Amino acid sequence: MKTKDKKPGRIKGAVLNWLGFGLGSVDHWAQWYGRESSSGVVVTSDKALTLSAVWACTRLVSQTVATLPIGVYERLEDGSRVPADRLPVTGLIRHRPNSDTTAVTFWESILVHAALHGNGFAEKKRIAGRLVSLELLDSSRLVWRKLQSGAYEFQYTDDLGKVRLIPEGDVFHIPGFTMSGRFGMSVIKYGSEVFGSALAGNQAASSTFKNGLHPTTYFKMDRVVDKSQRDVFRENMKSISGALNAGKSPLLEAGMDVGTVGINPDDAQLLESRVFSIEEVCRWFGVPPSMIGSTDKASSWASSSEQLNLWFLQYGLRPWLKRIEQAIWAQLLTPAEQLRYYAEFNVEGLLRADTSSRTAFYSTALQNGWMSRNEVRRLENLPPVDGGDIYTAQSNLLPLDQLGAGSDSNAARSALLHWLKEPSNET
């Protein structure tokens, strides 16, 4: 069976085409009506989320990014930077994007849409030209068209079914993996075969357990029975069928014979196929299987938790973090602000190792003079101390030609201190 895309009806499609929003948008309508996979299962985002692997991967990526600290910084002339906490956009992206959601739930929702549908959207609300809020938009209710001017116009359907147009300048957009350079590609569309197979495997497993871990059983008789006899037999079979009634035996009468149709779970390699589907799903989201609870030895992508976190940060999260940072810079800052300010996530929390490794890192930084004690205390959420902003370094790393001079100087200093401490012999 070939993969098919269900599209809107002819009347609705004709109206949308007349309005310019037909788009040939198979990706958009696939979010509404789903895509039929070769396994015969229609895959939608809601159905895909019923797979524990899809749910776990989407949750891991979205919640990890949403809970990372983010800030806006001002770039100074000497190359250093300072936090731009008083910039209005800082409060929107860090604390309260709008009156209904906090920053964590906002970024989490944006990432869920971007991870599944390929695009996350929010509407920029302004008062007197000033950006005051970012309102979440459901990507499955948003369609767009390109105008003759080259700009895009978006059509959004709200919860009440009301349709309105949103100019491109009022849309905050986070694209996923993309080939067009403008809009991301839907994982639901391109991964429908993998998700469909996984859903079919779940359905087969559920059916197998429902039937008591046995294939379909048939009963054969040497004569034709009437409808009432069939109904009585089926009612009797219900009392001994199902996993809870496994072990109960039917009574075969009047030359009745029994047989099975289909293959058993071992022959179908049901458990092996479900484990394989977990790893396949993880590939689509760039998540190591062990990070969503898959303990299969073949799915270990790193030899330690520290290396696993580093791998996930570099290859799984970093593309999302850079997309968000650059989208904030390009879409939420004015051209004048773009010359001085930029957004950046703080990933220090993901890079923190165990106590001994962290202590060794801080010790090296302090002894070599590229971190102060107050900077270290700030990373450990400790208050600053007096004199902690001074940079220090070990003094025993001297050039070879200064070793003798250093020794003579130290010896003279020790002798002077010893003389000062001795009692005086003068009369």
Side-chain angles (χ1 to χ4, degrees):
M1 180 185 298
K2 296 182 179 180
T3 300
K4 297 185 292 182
D5 301 306
K6 295 186 178 182
K7 301 180 180 180
R10 289 186 299 173
I11 297 177
K12 188 173 183 178
V15 172
L16 289 171
N17 283 321
W18 178 72
L19 292 173
F21 287 97
L23 304 173
S25 182
V26 172
D27 291 351
H28 171 73
W29 296 113
Q31 298 176 31
W32 282 79
Y33 301 102
R35 297 175 61 88
E36 186 175 349
S37 63
S38 299
S39 61
V41 179
V42 177
V43 180
T44 64
S45 58
D46 288 340
K47 285 187 177 180
L49 284 172
T50 62
L51 295 171
S52 62
V54 175
W55 179 278
C57 288
T58 306
R59 184 183 62 184
L60 178 64
V61 172
S62 61
Q63 290 184 348
T64 303
V65 174
T67 53
L68 284 177
I70 186 174
V72 179
Y73 300 91
E74 181 181 4
R75 188 183 297 106
L76 303 181
E77 294 182 357
D78 60 358
S80 61
R81 70 178 188 178
V82 294
D85 294 336
R86 295 187 178 182
L87 202 65
V89 70
T90 303
L92 292 179
I93 66 174
R94 182 188 291 176
H95 302 296
R96 195 80 171 180
N98 55 70
S99 59
D100 297 325
T101 58
T102 61
V104 171
T105 54
F106 174 83
W107 291 118
E108 184 180 50
S109 180
I110 287 281
L111 263 296
V112 168
H113 283 280
L116 292 176
H117 302 155
N119 300 279
F121 296 98
E123 184 177 4
K124 294 182 280 187
K125 297 289 188 178
R126 295 182 175 89
I127 296 179
R130 177 181 175 182
L131 182 65
V132 294
S133 71
L134 295 169
E135 302 289 339
L136 289 167
L137 297 175
D138 188 341
S139 61
S140 64
R141 300 180 180 181
L142 196 68
V143 293
W144 51 86
R145 64 171 178 174
K146 192 171 185 178
L147 304 176
Q148 293 182 352
S149 62
Y152 284 86
E153 187 176 61
F154 295 81
Q155 183 190 55
Y156 186 69
T157 305
D158 60 20
D159 295 336
L160 301 178
K162 182 179 179 181
V163 178
R164 58 189 178 90
L165 299 180
I166 306 176
E168 183 180 14
D170 291 341
V171 174
F172 177 63
H173 175 212
I174 303 293
F177 179 61
T178 176
M179 287 192 298
S180 67
R182 184 64 176 85
F183 297 99
M185 296 183 291
S186 171
V187 171
I188 298 300
K189 171 189 174 182
Y190 289 95
S192 60
E193 290 299 320
V194 170
F195 302 147
S197 298
L199 288 168
N202 280 359
Q203 293 177 0
S206 299
S207 177
T208 300
F209 280 102
K210 181 179 179 180
N211 293 329
L213 299 177
H214 290 289
T216 302
T217 303
Y218 69 87
F219 297 88
K220 182 174 64 175
M221 297 189 65
D222 55 1
R223 66 179 184 273
V224 178
V225 296
D226 57 33
K227 183 178 182 303
S228 61
Q229 292 174 321
R230 292 193 189 100
D231 293 339
V232 171
F233 176 75
R234 290 193 177 101
E235 289 297 324
N236 291 334
M237 286 302 300
K238 289 181 181 179
S239 63
I240 61 172
S241 62
L244 296 179
N245 297 313
K248 296 181 179 180
S249 302
L251 176 63
L252 304 181
E253 300 179 280
M256 183 180 295
D257 192 14
V258 65
T260 59
V261 177
I263 55 179
N264 59 49
D266 292 335
D267 294 337
Q269 295 183 330
L270 183 59
L271 295 178
E272 289 84 351
S273 66
R274 297 184 74 184
V275 171
F276 177 72
S277 69
I278 293 176
E279 191 165 343
E280 282 283 279
V281 168
C282 287
R283 289 193 185 102
W284 282 95
F285 290 95
V287 173
S290 57
M291 296 194 75
I292 64 168
S294 178
T295 57
D296 184 68
K297 293 182 179 180
S299 63
S300 297
W301 291 10
S303 58
S304 69
S305 59
E306 183 179 353
Q307 292 178 351
L308 191 65
N309 287 339
L310 184 61
W311 189 100
F312 182 53
L313 173 62
Q314 291 180 341
Y315 303 106
L317 293 184
R318 190 170 184 271
W320 287 115
L321 300 181
K322 298 303 293 185
R323 288 189 188 106
I324 295 175
E325 291 170 356
Q326 294 185 0
I328 292 172
W329 178 85
Q331 302 177 40
L332 300 184
L333 298 179
T334 65
E337 292 172 341
Q338 291 174 2
L339 299 176
R340 301 169 52 193
Y341 302 100
Y342 64 95
E344 185 176 297
F345 282 96
N346 182 4
V347 298
E348 180 67 29
L350 294 178
L351 296 175
R352 295 181 69 172
D354 58 315
T355 303
S356 59
S357 299
R358 200 161 70 250
T359 302
F361 169 77
Y362 291 149
S363 178
T364 301
L366 293 172
Q367 292 175 10
N368 289 278
W370 51 274
M371 286 186 73
S372 68
R373 283 164 175 76
N374 278 345
E375 289 175 336
V376 172
R377 294 176 66 85
R378 191 179 304 116
L379 293 177
E380 292 296 314
N381 295 318
L382 296 173
V385 295
D386 294 336
D389 293 321
I390 299 175
Y391 292 88
T392 59
Q394 288 184 336
S395 61
N396 58 350
L397 299 177
L398 297 174
L400 294 177
D401 57 357
Q402 296 182 17
L403 288 178
S407 299
D408 294 341
S409 176
N410 291 335
R413 183 173 180 272
S414 299
L416 178 61
L417 291 175
H418 179 71
W419 177 78
L420 290 174
K421 292 179 180 180
E422 287 182 348
S424 176
N425 296 324
E426 296 179 0
T427 59

